[in-house]
Amino acid sequence: MRDGWIIYAAFGVLVCLLLWRVATQWRNAEAGNLRISLTILGIVALVMVVWQGARLLPNAATTAQDKTITVFAAASLTNALNDVDTDFTKQSGIKIVVSYGASSALAKQIEQGAQMDVFASADLQWMDYCARKKATRVNLLGNKLVLIAAKDAKIDHVTIGPGFDLAKLAGDGRVATGDVREVPVGLYAKAALERLGAWAAVEPKMVMAEDVRAALRLVARGQAPLGIVYETDAKIEPAVKVIGVFPDNTDDPIIYPVALRGNAKPDAVQYFSFLRTQIAKSVFEKYGFKFLIKPTS
């Protein structure tokens, strides 16, 4: 209907211009009056075109916005999820805007009203903290906790088990990980070290970063000789090497839940479904994640 108004108005402008052109060939008083009338009509028609165009602009902006999905995701998902999102956009034409960070920080932003369509957390705790009852969620991925050192470090391999003395291994150096009070990798690291009886001795030597990627950078740049990160993070950083793997904790496994906001728009539902496909599974597994569900296709 609105498009029709623009067409009619534009047609009116053209007709007025044509008649005005014809009228210019006449040399009497009536022709002068006709030219004035046609000029007024042409201006009115032009105003109609501009007015209707301005009314349609918000609709065009809304349509473009509807084709964009906002995702909040744990920092450790950065590389893998970027590739998954690229595949999804190529297939659907829908743009993905992702905010990466510590799951704790993202969950607090959501609680405070930050607008997002999908949230991918690095642990269940922070998903439970902010996910509403109407949210659709799935435990999508698994990961491992590893001990890393700089690529050129003299330490090659250590066995991590009961009695493991991380404080002694660190010597005068520090051990980097996420904030053990709230960042998932830090929570996992503290829990693992407590089970091994190593936490009390090593706690004063811990360097707590804002997220797992920040901890990874501290080791890669030589600012901390050791670090505790996810296996997938160590895999994408050529400046570090894995020197030990923490035993899996069957009581508190490393799980990445993904949630779709309640009353989500169709594009977000489509994206959430794509994360569970064979295509997404192949990408996540390439980066070292364990796919915890049966792919949908």
Side-chain angles (χ1 to χ4, degrees):
M1 186 69 176
R2 290 175 179 173
D3 290 343
W5 270 105
I6 290 183
I7 293 172
Y8 292 139
F11 180 73
V13 171
L14 292 175
V15 171
C16 289
L17 289 174
L18 178 62
L19 293 175
W20 187 86
R21 175 62 178 170
V22 172
T24 57
Q25 307 301 316
W26 303 346
R27 300 298 179 184
N28 53 37
E30 291 183 359
N33 292 333
L34 179 60
R35 287 195 295 271
I36 293 173
S37 298
L38 290 174
T39 300
I40 293 172
L41 288 174
I43 292 173
V44 171
L46 183 60
V47 170
M48 287 293 294
V49 172
V50 174
W51 177 56
Q52 289 296 334
R55 291 180 64 186
L56 287 174
L57 283 177
N59 295 321
T62 300
T63 300
Q65 187 177 16
D66 287 344
K67 284 295 181 182
T68 300
I69 298 170
T70 301
V71 177
F72 281 13
S76 52
L77 289 169
T78 302
N79 300 74
L81 195 59
N82 281 346
D83 284 0
V84 170
D85 291 350
T86 297
D87 289 340
F88 175 73
T89 299
K90 286 180 180 178
Q91 183 184 100
S92 66
I94 300 170
K95 181 181 178 182
I96 311 298
V97 177
V98 189
S99 291
Y100 292 108
S103 300
S104 51
L106 297 174
K108 291 176 182 178
Q109 290 177 34
I110 294 171
E111 182 193 34
Q112 293 167 5
Q115 294 300 308
M116 62 84 209
D117 298 297
V118 176
F119 177 38
S121 172
D123 73 351
L124 297 171
Q125 172 182 318
W126 285 110
M127 179 62 75
D128 293 340
Y129 177 85
C130 69
R132 303 294 180 256
K133 292 181 179 180
K134 292 183 179 180
T136 302
R137 57 188 281 186
V138 61
N139 293 339
L140 188 67
L141 305 170
N143 214 333
K144 287 182 174 292
L145 206 61
V146 298
L147 182 66
I148 61 171
K151 193 71 174 180
D152 58 356
K154 295 181 180 179
I155 307 172
D156 288 325
H157 179 74
V158 295
T159 300
I160 300 177
F164 174 61
D165 194 344
L166 181 56
K168 181 179 180 180
L169 184 67
D172 295 330
R174 313 278 274 179
V175 181
T177 193
D179 190 328
V180 299
R181 296 165 296 186
E182 58 180 25
V183 176
V185 71
L187 295 171
Y188 288 128
K190 180 181 178 182
L193 292 171
E194 285 179 335
R195 289 194 304 274
L196 298 171
W199 173 251
V202 78
E203 181 180 5
K205 299 183 179 183
M206 300 299 295
V207 177
M208 297 184 286
E210 63 182 0
D211 59 42
V212 68
R213 289 300 172 92
L216 183 69
R217 288 192 295 270
L218 288 174
V219 180
R221 296 170 181 172
Q223 295 171 295
L226 299 173
I228 301 175
V229 299
Y230 300 121
E231 182 179 43
T232 52
D233 292 290
K235 189 174 182 179
I236 58 94
E237 176 51 72
V240 306
K241 62 182 178 181
V242 175
I243 62 173
V245 179
F246 285 84
D248 291 332
N249 178 16
T250 56
D251 295 327
D252 185 22
I254 298 176
I255 293 177
Y256 288 68
V258 180
L260 177 68
R261 188 185 68 186
N263 301 319
K265 55 191 178 185
D267 290 345
V269 174
Q270 185 179 345
Y271 175 73
F272 185 74
S273 297
F274 185 80
L275 293 177
R276 294 173 286 170
T277 63
Q278 181 62 48
I279 296 174
K281 177 178 183 290
S282 298
V283 175
F284 285 124
E285 289 182 341
K286 180 182 73 173
Y287 282 93
F289 289 97
K290 182 179 180 181
F291 208 70
L292 300 180
I293 63 172
K294 182 178 179 180
T296 55
S297 61

